[in-house]
Amino acid sequence: MFDLQRLRALHAVRQHGSVAAAADALGFTPSAVSQQIGKLEREVRSPLLERAGRGVILTDAGLVLADATDSILTTTEQASADLEELRSGVAGTLRVLCFPTAIRGLVGPALGELRRTTPDLTVLMEETWIRTTERIEAGHADLAIAHDWVDSPIDLPAHLSQAPLMEDPVDVLLPAEHPLAGRDDVLIDDLLDAPWIIDTNDGSICSQWLRSQMAARGRIPDIVHRVDEYPSQIAVVAAGLGVSTLPRLGRPDLPSTVRTVPLRGERPVRRVFTVCRRASSRRPAIRTLIDALRARADHP
């Protein structure tokens, strides 16, 4: 009988290509992962890893065990789902990962409703947007609320299940005294000369969208401030220092000195969805949580 924790360590090394990356995904130290794999090697009396450049690859014996671990983890998840379905009512504990704006506009209110309607279900939420799918794969969380963009969807491994929740359009954020602040909508052509406030990540969808829209018109955006947090962006716009873009989900209350105006034509739109392991997607607790999130998404 092999120790499941040791098998998970080997499985993570195959997924992530190195002991250090596996340790990061599992939340352990590289030394701890190496120790687990070392114990497994002594147990099977065969080397399981060999060096390949800066990383490692699995030996034939390692591949056999990693493939078996796939089956073991899937079977364990399916057994848990079957057992949960046999119980009366929805109960248990779910560990959920969530990005910040979804907590404010979607998850927080949904969990508040679940606390009243399903008191035997405990949901432990963690705010994060970093390596959420890897943590779901590794079994460190049960469900993630994630997002991508309609024009740039992410690809998930086949053993993960995705359930759509909502689409989240992006609007323009303007100072209240701006000449366009009273419009029903605006075009990007109306803002070619505007001073822009964008985030610090040039690879973000909003940054890429702005640059591509400007480039299509032979222009370069006048970027005057780089600010990540939405409340901080709002404060900078409120001071009359520029314009910005802002998704609708989880949008905080705006001061009287700021207006949001919808974009007309091509605009960035976020897709918000849940991610869980496919083998656990039948669990009544997970289905109940997804239903609660969808009900909240229908009435934001």
Side-chain angles (χ1 to χ4, degrees), residues 123-144:
V123 180
L124 307 177
M125 179 173 56
E126 178 183 342
E127 177 184 315
T128 183
W129 60 90
I130 299 172
R131 294 190 299 275
T132 55
T133 55
E134 288 92 335
R135 293 177 65 184
I136 294 294
E137 287 182 287
H140 285 182
D142 300 298
L143 188 82

Side-chain angles (χ1 to χ4, degrees), residues 8-30:
R8 280 187 183 275
L10 181 66
H11 188 262
V13 171
R14 182 175 71 170
Q15 281 185 310
H16 301 285
S18 72
V19 171
D24 196 31
L26 293 171
F28 299 142
T29 64

Side-chain angles (χ1 to χ4, degrees), residues 73-87 89-91 94 142-143 159-163 274-291:
L73 294 177
T74 298
T75 301
T76 301
E77 291 278 0
Q78 289 174 342
S80 295
D82 290 341
L83 288 171
E84 196 169 302
E85 285 186 315
L86 290 175
R87 301 188 192 111
V90 176
L94 292 179
D142 300 298
L143 188 82
H159 55 274
L160 295 183
S161 176
Q162 180 182 126
T274 64
V275 177
C276 67
R277 294 177 295 280
R278 189 169 297 278
S280 65
S281 61
R282 292 188 299 110
R283 290 179 59 189
I286 286 180
R287 292 204 304 263
T288 297
L289 176 55
I290 291 175
D291 288 343

